[in-house]
Amino acid sequence: MAETHSFQAEVSRLLDIVAHSLYSDKKVFLRELISNASDACDRRRYLALTEPALSAPDGKYRVVLKPDAAAKTLTILDNGIGMSEAELIENLGTIARSGTAAFLKGLEGDSKRDVSQIGQFGVGFYSAFMVADRVEVVSRKAGEAHAHQWESDGKGAFTVTPVETAEVGTRITLHLKEDETDYMLAARLKHVVKTYADHIALPIVLDEDGKEETLNSASALWTRSKSEVTPEQSTEFYRSVAHAYDEPWLTLHYKAEGVIEYTSMLFVPGSKPFDLFDPTRKHSVRLYVRRVFVTDDCAELIPAYLRFLKGVVDSEDLPLNISRETLQASPLIAKIRQGVTKRVLGELAKKAADAPADYAKFWENFGAVLKEGLYEDFEQRDAILGLARFRSTGAEGLTSLEEYVGRMKPGQTAIYTITADSPEAALRSPQLEGFRAKGVEVLLLTDPVDEFWLPMVAKFKEHEFRSVTRGGADLGAIESGDKDAAKPAETPAPAGTTDLIALLKLTLGEAVKDVRSTDRLTESAVCLVADEGDMDMHLARLLKQHKQLGEESKRVLEVNPRHPLIARLAERLGQGGTGPALEDAAWLLLDQARIVEGEPLPDPVAFAKRLASCLERGLAA
């Protein structure tokens, strides 16, 4: 009996994009379906290593394309692992990827652009609706006695019905649209397979009126020497294993020999996946053992900070029947991981040196992920620091730490940093004023990960990292190179400044940790800083937003004694002007510093009243 199910909302949105797309390269649907069929065969073959009864009867696996001109259909068959009823509903009716809904909601209605990103979801099956107005899927899972048929026109619902079939595997029948019937032509299918699926490591067979012809070379592409693989073949292999539509930014194809042997064909994508920072995201590197697929879920194979990698690693030394638990703890896997990591970081370093503009594109896409390695991988920390790029107050584009150190001022010993939500927000910070006046460069750190690796790393070579938002930043020892620029900082503070600071401390009490005079400000009257040893303000704000921090440490209010407002308040105090006016001014200065830092005011009503009182007194004067 047929059961009708509704598509998940995200699937309906995706299918709507596909159905109304003007995407010109529709033939990629065949690559997606063949790739899925190949994966299913790989999984059954691996399962059969420990459960021989589940193997294909003759031990051979293949994908068959069967056009039917009379019925106007194209059928793709495989003898892979198959799907149960529940898996048909789950795999073909939902997209179980966190963040999908938000991503789809943000698509801009550009059909070509939108469809080009289908592969990001790992659901290339839906590309079938680019050429078919109805799709039938019949599948029987290995080890199960019953089969089921999934059917849909892609317009909001699908049906699942029990059926009888003797064959284990999956049969997908596409009822082609009137203007897509050329996909029933043998010549067309041969061309598409040769272009997009020649690398598939099992036979892709064309069955035309009972006559069979193998269309691909059926050899694993990564086993061929690098010189035998064309750029076009490499790109299509990347698109197949990554379910992607973009061009790879970097390709690494090599064979490691020595104590252990393995072959790798790895890719750095040309664009950033939408779920790159999703906590559940894993790397997309498949592990093979002597050309036999083992798993795409070996967490220990690739470090988390390289999770943007796609491709395959094929080992000659691992046993085929190893369990997943044993695999994770295998010393051979650890050695492969170490070798792959060094090779990838080495290739990135070459790219950074030879093509800095191109490398900048990589860094914009994946730099925030790579920086996770600074606190996760002590062994590779120096290599990653060399690869790191930053925006700064002293460079137009991205800069390396080596370049920053080369521009340090005489007398400067630290690498100065500021963390913020964006470069624009960082540049607006009053804490930069003194550094800007002396021409001291400051790195603008805007990735959340920056708050975590900095305390772990502490130094680059002999230069420690120092946040400009902490107290104790001493600019006096640094020579600006412009003697005139240093003069304002050497001018004595106006008379009464010490007494004013004492009054501010008394008035503000427990609201601040301390009140101090500073030379870091040149334009602003006040700013807030974290005391030495306290948590950085931006990190505290992030943790508080995510409810990971209870009570924040009190801040230090730093006062610019040469600012006209501070000088006038000191003068008023010297004339005996204590009272409500100066108390209101003290609290307004603190609230001003909070506003500039982007922090919420603890008492907006009191702030408004004090501001109104000050304005009233000013107008009455």
Side-chain angles (χ1 to χ4, degrees):
M1 182 178 177
E3 291 184 4
T4 300
H5 302 263
S6 296
F7 282 118
Q8 181 190 31
E10 288 82 358
V11 176
S12 294
R13 167 72 172 130
L14 190 62
L15 287 172
D16 182 64
I17 293 171
V18 170
H20 297 91
S21 169
L22 300 178
Y23 192 55
S24 59
D25 199 14
K26 293 182 180 181
K27 56 183 175 290
V28 296
F29 85 91
L30 193 55
R31 181 195 73 196
E32 293 295 323
L33 298 184
I34 291 174
S35 179
N36 290 345
S38 173
D39 289 347
C41 291
D42 282 341
R43 293 176 190 281
R44 184 179 180 186
R45 178 166 49 187
Y46 181 63
L47 191 63
L49 293 173
T50 53
E51 299 181 62
L54 300 181
S55 175
D58 56 1
K60 296 180 180 179
Y61 299 89
R62 64 180 193 163
V63 179
V64 178
L65 308 182
K66 194 169 185 178
D68 187 333
K72 295 183 180 179
T73 63
L74 172 64
T75 301
I76 299 95
L77 307 95
D78 69 70
N79 59 340
I81 195 168
M83 289 179 279
S84 64
E85 179 183 15
E87 288 170 336
L88 278 171
I89 295 170
E90 176 67 19
N91 295 343
L92 306 186
T94 64
I95 303 176
R97 294 283 292 277
S98 180
T100 299
F103 183 82
L104 283 169
K105 188 177 180 181
L107 292 179
E108 301 170 354
D110 181 339
S111 295
K112 293 183 180 181
R113 171 185 171 274
D114 293 347
V115 167
S116 71
Q117 301 183 63
I118 290 175
Q120 290 203 34
F121 303 103
V123 289
F125 166 79
Y126 298 118
S127 62
F129 287 97
M130 289 194 289
V131 297
D133 51 25
R134 185 160 58 91
V135 178
E136 298 172 6
V137 180
V138 174
S139 192
R140 178 183 165 197
K141 188 171 184 178
E144 294 192 0
H146 302 290
H148 292 83
Q149 176 175 295
W150 180 99
E151 184 176 355
S152 177
D153 60 3
K155 295 179 180 177
F158 60 90
T159 60
V160 177
T161 311
V163 294
E164 293 296 327
T165 181
E167 299 296 327
V168 171
T170 300
R171 181 176 74 245
I172 301 174
T173 301
L174 310 181
H175 294 264
L176 298 169
K177 297 176 181 178
E178 288 295 332
D179 55 348
E180 305 295 348
T181 53
D182 57 333
Y183 288 106
M184 295 181 297
L185 302 177
R188 175 73 157 160
L189 294 174
K190 290 178 182 179
H191 173 73
V192 173
V193 170
K194 200 66 181 174
T195 302
Y196 291 103
D198 189 58
H199 61 272
I200 297 294
L202 53 93
I204 302 170
V205 176
L206 174 64
D207 182 346
E208 191 176 26
D209 300 323
K211 296 180 181 179
E212 293 190 349
E213 178 185 357
T214 300
L215 304 182
N216 66 323
S217 57
S219 66
L221 193 71
W222 63 89
T223 63
R224 307 177 198 173
S225 68
K226 191 173 181 180
S227 60
E228 294 176 358
V229 179
T230 67
E232 293 76 18
Q233 289 174 318
S234 179
T235 296
E236 285 311 319
F237 180 68
Y238 158 71
R239 290 172 173 171
S240 177
V241 296
H243 291 284
Y245 287 74
D246 60 343
E247 299 276 339
W249 179 79
L250 178 66
T251 300
L252 293 86
H253 183 191
Y254 67 97
K255 183 174 183 179
E257 297 179 323
V259 178
I260 58 171
E261 290 188 12
Y262 61 91
T263 301
S264 292
M265 195 163 187
L266 301 170
F267 305 91
V268 176
S271 58
K272 179 167 63 176
F274 78 99
D275 62 343
L276 187 61
F277 295 99
D278 189 280
T280 63
R281 180 182 171 83
K282 302 172 184 176
H283 66 76
S284 298
V285 176
R286 301 178 182 182
L287 177 63
Y288 285 74
V289 175
R290 295 185 290 282
R291 271 66 66 199
V292 175
F293 172 78
V294 174
T295 183
D296 56 3
D297 189 24
C298 181
E300 297 304 314
L301 181 62
I302 301 293
Y305 63 87
L306 295 180
R307 61 182 175 271
F308 49 82
L309 287 177
K310 312 282 187 178
V312 301
V313 171
D314 191 344
S315 169
E316 294 292 328
D317 304 303
L318 284 167
L320 266 173
N321 59 350
I322 191 170
S323 69
R324 181 170 296 179
E325 292 73 19
T326 307
L327 191 65
Q328 302 285 21
S330 169
L332 290 176
I333 289 292
K335 289 183 179 298
I336 293 173
R337 172 193 175 108
Q338 184 182 50
V340 167
T341 300
K342 286 185 177 179
R343 186 66 177 248
V344 171
L345 296 181
E347 291 297 323
L348 290 176
K350 290 179 185 177
K351 196 81 168 179
D354 299 340
D358 196 24
Y359 181 75
K361 297 176 185 177
F362 161 81
W363 189 259
E364 292 291 350
N365 283 332
F366 304 112
V369 178
L370 195 61
K371 281 189 287 186
E372 293 174 13
L374 291 172
Y375 62 83
E376 290 180 355
D377 193 343
F378 177 80
E379 185 179 347
Q380 300 298 336
R381 181 175 291 171
D382 289 343
I384 298 172
L385 278 174
L387 292 170
R389 297 293 183 269
F390 305 91
R391 299 195 182 281
S392 82
T393 59
E396 289 189 8
L398 295 173
T399 187
S400 68
L401 291 174
E402 197 71 55
E403 291 168 335
Y404 176 98
V405 169
R407 294 191 293 265
M408 287 172 61
K409 297 290 183 183
Q412 180 182 350
T413 59
I415 297 171
Y416 290 102
T417 67
I418 183 169
T419 53
D421 293 330
S422 67
E424 295 75 21
L427 289 169
R428 290 194 296 267
S429 175
Q431 285 98 342
L432 289 180
E433 292 173 4
F435 294 87
R436 190 179 286 120
K438 279 207 164 187
V440 177
E441 186 173 357
V442 178
L443 299 181
L444 311 176
L445 307 182
T446 57
D447 294 317
V449 68
D450 292 325
E451 298 284 9
F452 300 97
W453 69 262
L454 273 172
M456 297 285 290
V457 175
K459 289 184 178 182
F460 174 68
K461 297 185 175 178
E462 70 274 16
H463 306 287
E464 69 172 354
F465 292 98
R466 187 176 299 169
S467 172
V468 302
T469 63
R470 290 189 181 277
D474 182 14
L475 294 172
I478 301 176
E479 299 176 21
S480 66
D482 181 355
K483 295 181 179 180
D484 292 333
K487 288 182 180 178
E490 297 168 358
T491 304
T497 300
T498 303
D499 292 338
L500 176 63
I501 289 175
L503 176 67
L504 293 176
K505 286 184 184 180
L506 182 64
T507 303
L508 299 177
E510 294 298 315
V512 294
K513 190 170 187 177
D514 197 4
V515 181
R516 303 171 185 163
S517 177
T518 184
D519 63 352
R520 80 167 74 222
L521 298 174
T522 60
E523 301 170 10
S524 301
V526 290
C527 72
L528 286 171
V529 297
D531 202 6
E532 285 294 319
D534 287 347
M535 184 181 295
D536 186 84
M537 293 192 298
H538 186 252
L539 175 58
R541 193 154 56 244
L542 284 175
L543 293 176
K544 194 167 185 179
Q545 288 172 358
H546 291 86
K547 304 187 186 304
Q548 298 294 313
L549 183 67
E551 186 176 348
E552 292 184 57
S553 300
K554 296 288 191 298
R555 303 302 180 202
V556 175
L557 182 68
E558 291 196 341
V559 177
N560 177 6
R562 296 165 191 84
H563 191 277
L565 174 59
I566 300 302
R568 184 72 183 94
L569 289 173
E571 181 184 350
R572 174 73 64 87
L573 180 62
Q575 296 171 352
T578 58
L582 279 178
E583 288 185 12
D584 283 348
W587 286 104
L588 285 172
L589 286 172
L590 176 58
D591 283 342
Q592 174 187 326
R594 287 167 171 159
I595 290 170
V596 170
E597 280 302 316
E599 296 184 356
L601 298 180
D603 191 347
V605 174
F607 167 75
K609 287 181 178 179
R610 293 188 189 106
L611 183 59
S613 296
C614 283
L615 289 172
E616 185 180 348
R617 283 192 290 266
L619 292 171

